[in-house]
């Protein structure tokens, strides 16, 4: 998939919301500026099955993103904050999930 406008990407993602499709979308948005809940800007890059955030030394694995996605779906897409995702790197995954409209705040 080529990067189109956000609405197209979100619609395509929601057609089949799996970790593989989410990972593909995340690859499209490498170096895109996101903001944590504390309004700290960050970007990330994907290398294989790892996501490297520019504000963090340790990587976030695809499996961890998959666990966070599972938790978001389990909560029905209503997630009040990063801690509710219950995974390493949730403070970075939360705003990404908000951006892709996988979750929304209560």
């Amino acid at each position: 998939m080529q990067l189109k406008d956000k609405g197209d990407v979100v619609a395509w993602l929601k057609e089949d919301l799996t970790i593989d499709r989410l990972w593909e979308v995340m690859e499209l948005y490498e170096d895109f500026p996101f903001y944590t809940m504390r309004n700290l800007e960050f970007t990330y890059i994907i290398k294989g099955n790892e996501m490297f955030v520019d504000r963090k030394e340790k990587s976030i694995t695809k499996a961890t993103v998959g666990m966070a996605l599972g938790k978001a779906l389990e909560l029905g897409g209503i997630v009040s904050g990063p801690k509710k995702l219950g995974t390493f790197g949730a403070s970075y995954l939360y705003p990404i999930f908000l951006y892709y409209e996988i979750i929304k705040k209560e």
Side-chain angles (χ1 to χ4, degrees), residues 1 5 7 10 16-17 19 21 28 31 35-36 38 46 55 61-62 64 75 78 83 87-89 96 98 102 106:
M1 173 176 215
D5 74 49
V10 167
D16 183 28
L17 187 50
I19 182 55
R21 187 165 281 204
L28 293 173
D31 295 319
Y35 294 86
T36 66
R38 294 189 174 160
I46 303 286
R55 301 185 64 85
T61 65
K62 183 177 178 179
T64 299
L75 294 171
I78 307 297
K83 288 183 181 180
T87 60
F88 174 78
I96 291 169
L98 282 172
I102 294 169
E106 284 184 306

Side-chain angles (χ1 to χ4, degrees), residues 85-100:
L85 294 175
T87 60
F88 174 78
S91 59
Y92 300 104
L93 298 176
Y94 186 80
I96 291 169
F97 285 12
L98 282 172
Y99 185 82
Y100 299 141

Side-chain angles (χ1 to χ4, degrees), residues 7-18 21-22 25 73 97-104:
D8 291 340
V9 171
V10 167
W12 182 78
L13 176 61
K14 288 185 174 185
E15 283 175 13
D16 183 28
L17 187 50
T18 63
R21 187 165 281 204
L22 172 58
V25 168
L73 296 175
F97 285 12
L98 282 172
Y99 185 82
Y100 299 141
E101 300 176 23
I102 294 169
I103 60 173
K104 51 187 155 190

Side-chain angles (χ1 to χ4, degrees), residues 41-99:
E41 184 177 313
F42 71 94
T43 61
Y44 65 82
I45 59 169
I46 303 286
K47 291 182 183 176
N49 287 328
E50 293 180 288
M51 169 187 170
F52 294 88
V53 176
D54 64 354
R55 301 185 64 85
K56 195 165 203 61
E57 285 187 34
K58 291 179 93 177
S59 67
I60 302 168
T61 65
K62 183 177 178 179
T64 299
V65 175
M67 289 189 312
L69 175 60
K71 186 64 173 182
L73 296 175
E74 179 185 310
L75 294 171
I78 307 297
V79 184
S80 60
K83 288 183 181 180
K84 298 287 184 185
L85 294 175
T87 60
F88 174 78
S91 59
Y92 300 104
L93 298 176
Y94 186 80
I96 291 169
F97 285 12
L98 282 172
Y99 185 82

